[in-house]
Amino acid sequence: MTKEEFKKAYIDEVVECCAKPLDECSDLERYEALVSLISYRATEILAETTKRNSIEKPKKVYYFSMEFLIGKLLENYLINLGCKDVVEQGLREMGVELSDLLEVESDPGLGNGGLGRLAACFLDSMAAMGIPGMGMGLRFRFGLFRQRIISGYQIEEPDAWLENGYPWETVKTSGAVQVRFGGTIEKTFNDGKLGFIHKDGEVVLAVPYDVPIVGFDGRYTNILRLWQARNLHETVDFEAFNKGNYPMAMREKSRTEAITCILYPNDNSDTGKILRLKQEYLLCCAGLNSILQSYEASYGSDAWGELADHVAVHINDTHPALCVPELMRILVDEKKMEWDDAWEVTRNTIAFTNHTVLPEALERWPQEMLKELLPRIYMIIEEIDRRWKDSLRGRDDWHQLSTETAILADDQVRMAQLSVIGSHSVNGVAALHSKIIAEDLFRGFSALDPAKFSNKTNGISHRRFLIQSNPALSGLITEALGESWKREPGRMEELLRFSEDTGFLDAVARAKAENKQRLVDYISKTSHIAVDPQSVFDVQVKRIHAYKRQLLNALKILDIYNTLKDDPNADVKPATFIFSGKAAPGYAFAKEVIKFICSVADLVNSDPVIRERIKVVFIENFCVSNAQLIYPAADISEQISTAGKEASGTGNMKFMMNGAVTLGTLDGANVEIHGLVGDENIKIFGLTADETSGLAHSGAYRSQQVCDGDPTIKRMMDQLVNGTFSASGRNFWDIRDALLQYNDEYFVLKDLEPYRKAWRELTQTYQDSSAWNRMCLVNIAKSHFFSSDRTIDEYAKEIWKVSRR
């Protein structure tokens, strides 16, 4: 499409959509007209892809995930369709700035953290590589929440991302699926076969909304299907309504719509647990039913035994674990397969990725709750569990294996065990993580079937988080390597030939400076804090959790504050410390850490001397859009989780790809980063995973002894409660107790001194611009390993057994 062709088509679309001249339209109307024009092309490609698939009938991948953080799509589409420059220039000639229209679009509220961003990257790579696939998720009306920071406290507000509709989606009412909760199970016996009929209970309608995912170069388009809960029949309680009891009159509608209202409702109560279970089952039931309807239309009603030859179902963590019993329910109860045949099909169809080693994050549901809410599903889980235990009998270690691997134990349904037993493949997401799940978390399963376990180190979309997020750097790479690196990220390795090229290294530095100024402007606009773009940008952005150790970072800053307070001329390099991330609404300690970070920020930023040396910023409401400003601007990437706790991380990859240098522990994918760039291009500190595990099991660690032996730490522990933060209106006894009284579960104090030392050394290196720019270039060049194209290629070849086109 030429510029003139675009301008004519856009003016025609404005007239069609808005019925008035372009100069009389609002930015929202101009945005909607542009979306209408671009989505028409996306729909054309989707139709071409669908036609090709119907002829070729390739094996198709269905990726189930509770989160899909796809971010704003307009710019992504323009880049992947290869028309961004044409559109931007054409609009400018008509007096419209593309950047203004991009600001109109809302971030879809479809996730929280790395899990959702990973799933979105995977969809991007699958479409770019021509792997037929579909994402299966839920259409949350208000997402997780919109975070505001008021007086240092996290305040959760509804994320009304659907307020103006969502122009990229298409509702597919004809594909709606009925989902049943509660009720009773009636057994039947006909023609010598036992059958089951699910009666009564609550029936809701899951309605699919399809969002096209356009692949790079616009050759293929896949679908993200989002399910929304609705009433089976529109109804109202007239008796209650006529009595003026309007909430009671609408209670059925409200109860149903609550299922897809909020992502991750607080599950500290039984009511919250039930709502989460409803969400997870609705996703699995609706998704699988739609898959099998499509499969039957293509292959007939007698081809269920070959399902795994044509369909791959992947469950992203344990949220979609109910895919296992739900697929069994459909095959046994509805398709009338024998149990053993159905079980072989189910296991050969489903694969499972584990994303955590934290026991509290491995989902478990009360048996009675699941039995009452999903009676037939619970019966199937019981049978799977019984047959699994029977398969272990006769072994000398039967009791131990049964205890470790049972699905039903301690009145709980253990979803991780269900996922492992019901899948043909189980993978971790970084080398260290995969080692831990095979040797510790799932050691019983691994001992029985080691070939079932593998590693698939996570990846990120270089198109979203480099090409789109960092045009200055990606333009420089294109000048050096040509266009082909965008499709073949492995070519980024060739950048190493410029490692002694002063001109190229200076250009890398100029790109970084441009990105830092862009973030400075954003911080000034949103946080009203003036930041020095010449200072080192030390950044930690991720979900707030004790094991991710934002607290360690905040204590380091408090120590720097103390150093400067004692000696204003101390050798501390100018630095801006940037935090962002959300705490789960029910996670009190994480919220306390946010308040502490903000209190340290107030202490630093209000001091007229110290604020000229360092600044602290907490950017509220971390999301894909502001992440795309933050990653390119970072100098230091803080990846400081307790070793052995982080599965992989993907933020570390995004920072690396944008030229930040990692300051971190040997945890998650940091291990692979270290292996790729070498000691000289990363700063590693602290305990290893083996050391943290050893200390945890031996009980040898005593945080109070560490405190007593280090006056600097003792001073900070006292500051938590002695009124140092009185201006923020509180002390921090809970944090102090966690570190001292409860023995510092995540080894914050143990790692604090090596962390401070590593930070000082790294910021000293930053003063040598030539050495630093070379470190940045090495990280950029080596980051190609973390492209999600590489990850998806491994999944496709080794787990899904599908071919790229």
Side-chain angles (χ1 to χ4, degrees), residues 643-660:
K645 298 299 184 183
E646 184 73 83
S648 167
T650 55
N652 47 7
M653 305 169 189
K654 293 162 194 160
F655 282 118
M656 178 192 187
M657 193 171 279
N658 283 277

Side-chain angles (χ1 to χ4, degrees), residues 590-659:
K591 289 184 170 183
E592 184 82 344
V593 169
I594 290 177
K595 175 60 177 172
F596 179 60
I597 293 168
C598 293
S599 297
V600 172
D602 290 343
L603 196 67
V604 168
N605 299 343
S606 63
D607 189 298
V609 175
I610 293 177
R611 70 187 178 202
E612 296 303 313
R613 306 283 295 279
I614 63 173
K615 286 279 178 69
V616 184
V617 179
F618 192 104
I619 297 175
E620 68 179 18
N621 200 48
F622 186 52
C623 59
V624 174
S625 292
N626 57 27
Q628 290 176 200
L629 297 175
I630 295 169
Y631 293 129
D635 294 309
I636 295 176
S637 165
E638 295 271 2
Q639 307 299 328
I640 58 177
S641 55
T642 306
K645 298 299 184 183
E646 184 73 83
S648 167
T650 55
N652 47 7
M653 305 169 189
K654 293 162 194 160
F655 282 118
M656 178 192 187
M657 193 171 279
N658 283 277

Side-chain angles (χ1 to χ4, degrees), residues 312-541:
V313 171
H314 203 96
I315 55 178
N316 191 30
D317 220 353
T318 56
H319 306 121
L322 292 174
C323 280
V324 174
E326 175 62 13
L327 183 52
M328 285 295 293
R329 184 194 67 80
I330 297 171
L331 294 177
V332 171
D333 292 0
E334 297 181 9
K335 307 308 177 185
K336 307 304 180 185
M337 290 186 72
E338 295 293 336
W339 178 280
D340 289 342
D341 296 334
W343 183 242
E344 182 179 3
V345 169
T346 295
R347 289 187 69 252
N348 289 335
T349 301
I350 295 176
F352 166 53
T353 296
N354 169 270
H355 283 278
T356 184
V357 298
L358 299 177
E360 65 271 22
L362 295 171
E363 286 189 305
R364 301 172 181 226
W365 299 110
Q367 289 184 25
E368 286 302 315
M369 180 181 290
L370 199 149
K371 183 177 183 179
E372 183 175 345
L373 184 67
L374 304 169
R376 180 58 182 142
I377 292 299
Y378 183 78
M379 292 172 66
I380 292 170
I381 291 173
E382 274 191 317
E383 184 63 13
I384 295 171
D385 185 59
R386 184 189 68 79
R387 291 180 180 233
W388 170 255
K389 290 174 181 174
D390 282 351
S391 73
L392 301 176
R393 293 188 188 278
R395 296 177 56 97
D396 293 339
D397 56 353
W398 173 84
H399 182 73
Q400 179 183 344
L401 273 177
S402 180
T403 301
E404 289 181 11
T405 62
I407 301 169
L408 303 178
D410 302 321
D411 299 321
Q412 302 281 313
V413 182
R414 304 195 293 184
M415 306 305 274
Q417 280 77 359
L418 175 62
S419 301
V420 174
I421 291 171
S423 302
H424 68 87
S425 170
V426 179
N427 71 277
V429 291
L432 176 61
H433 171 240
S434 297
K435 180 175 182 288
I436 291 171
I437 67 172
E439 296 180 0
D440 185 11
L441 188 66
F442 298 138
R443 61 182 178 271
F445 290 116
S446 179
L448 290 168
D449 188 3
K452 188 176 194 175
F453 290 80
S454 67
N455 174 59
K456 300 288 175 283
T457 297
N458 279 342
I460 60 170
S461 169
H462 64 285
R463 288 170 285 272
R464 163 73 77 170
F465 289 105
L466 179 52
I467 297 172
Q468 181 177 334
S469 303
N470 196 340
L473 179 58
S474 58
L476 181 62
I477 296 172
T478 300
E479 287 178 18
L481 303 180
E483 294 284 341
S484 63
W485 75 275
K486 297 177 181 179
R487 179 164 288 282
E488 302 170 32
R491 289 204 58 211
M492 292 170 68
E493 182 97 14
E494 297 173 29
L495 292 172
L496 291 175
R497 70 173 185 257
F498 297 99
S499 59
E500 301 300 327
D501 185 327
T502 303
F504 191 84
L505 294 176
D506 288 345
V508 170
R510 286 194 296 273
K512 178 65 70 175
E514 180 181 327
N515 290 319
K516 290 174 75 170
Q517 186 59 54
R518 189 172 58 160
L519 183 58
V520 166
D521 295 341
Y522 178 81
I523 290 171
S524 176
K525 178 182 177 181
T526 58
S527 301
H528 311 294
I529 297 174
V531 168
D532 177 10
Q534 301 300 316
S535 64
V536 59
F537 279 19
D538 179 310
V539 186
Q540 186 178 21
V541 294

Side-chain angles (χ1 to χ4, degrees), residues 13 25 33 37 106 116 143 167 198 201 223 231 262 327 387-388 461 486 495 538 541 639 700 706 720 788 800 802:
E13 200 66 38
C25 293
L37 183 63
S106 297
H198 196 166
I223 289 290
N231 274 81
I262 302 288
L327 183 52
R387 291 180 180 233
W388 170 255
S461 169
K486 297 177 181 179
L495 292 172
D538 179 310
V541 294
Q639 307 299 328
V706 174
L720 291 173
S788 50
W800 301 333
V802 299

